[in-house]
Amino acid sequence: MTDQIQEQNIAKRVTLVGAIWDALLGLAKIVAGYFSQSQALIADGIHSLSDLVTDVFVYFASANSRQGPDENHPYGHLRFETLTTVFLGIVLIVVALGIAYESISADSSRAEFTWYGLAALITTILVKEAIFHYTKKAGDKIGSKMLIANAWHSRSDALSSVAVLIGLFGVYFGYGWADMVASIVVALLIGKMAVSMVWENLAELVDTAPDPKLIEQIKETANSLKHVMAPHDVRARSMAGKIYLDMHIHVPSHASVSEGHYLGDLVAYTIKKAHSQVEDVMVHIDTDEKIQTESFLHESGKPPHLKLPARHQILADLGFLLRQHTGYVDIPNSRLHYLNNQLDIEIIAKSEKVPEGMNPQELTQRILQELQTANYINKATVMWVFAE
């Protein structure tokens, strides 16, 4: 079973448990509030049922957001979770406004203290606090901001029930207005939590960078590896609590392509191992003599290093300039080094194919002399190799 499927199953199971309790507690408080004539208790019951509505959205979002990438969604479906969280926040803002309006317009003088209302509130506080810890632990485990937001939604229900409980005791001691005040407090708690939820996830939708302290920690992790120097131009985006990272690193200037690829993979593996919230790392390789940044995009004209010829043109030139040496020079495997806006070339020659009577040292001098006509070559070297 893949990690994404496991995360999906955890999210669905946790949300289903919360939904069952939200339904039971919401109905119990509405019934108790009706017989107690308590608007605050009814409002708290509606809050619990609004939790049930959000649980439904969270359940279906969990089933879809943890699917892997496909042709239309190459980065996966995690943004569905972010979008769902924004929608849930908007729904909760509407619920909070409705509760506040009903609390102000309703007659709170008829509210009564009842033992079944008290029992419903105490049960809600205990159960919702347990659901908070259960859901938040699962959200932290799989890195789901949606589950964590839903966990805090459950805690807001517990806190609002505390407010209603205070209002109920106020009614018991003859302060009928306490029920209205408690109901407004419930609305404010829901509204504050909803606005925070919407704001945080809208920031994610527009690719706001994660916490700068986390980025510095990631750079330190990369910089701790040997032969990987000065990670820079780090860019990151968040998707439902997962971080997608782009970064540049330095490697030794004469490292081969395969070594550079190896070091890039090593950096990505080490970062993901040390920072579990990092889902993907794209590494760009720079040499230690050249720092490539995005700044050249804003310069006028072509950058100096890109004015040098590409491999296909160089090989064509070498084929012409060294046409008398093709019997022992391996032109296709010539090594090119683009360093400090200049080009160094290593010519590979096979000693076993040198004709009898010819001296490799003399041939080297002839090859280097013939390469001098290519004015874009800064330094040329001939490397003689022996057959195994």
Side-chain angles (χ1 to χ4, degrees), residues 13-53:
R13 181 178 68 251
V14 168
T15 305
L16 190 59
V17 171
I20 293 172
W21 278 108
D22 286 335
L24 294 175
L25 293 173
L27 291 174
K29 284 188 287 187
I30 289 175
V31 171
Y34 175 78
F35 287 107
S36 302
Q37 296 294 304
S38 170
Q39 289 298 321
L41 193 52
I42 293 174
D44 203 32
I46 295 173
H47 185 191
S48 293
L49 288 183
S50 74
D51 284 358
L52 175 60
V53 174

Side-chain angles (χ1 to χ4, degrees), residues 14-15 58 66 81 85 131-132 134-155 193 197 200-201 240-241:
V14 168
T15 305
V58 170
R66 298 284 162 171
E81 183 172 313
T85 308
I131 290 175
F132 164 76
Y134 176 59
T135 307
K136 187 175 184 298
K137 182 179 179 181
D140 290 334
K141 181 178 180 181
I142 67 175
S144 171
K145 292 173 71 174
M146 182 176 65
L147 274 188
I148 294 173
N150 210 30
W152 281 103
H153 189 191
S154 294
R155 172 163 275 189
M193 182 269 299
M197 185 189 303
E200 181 180 346
N201 285 273

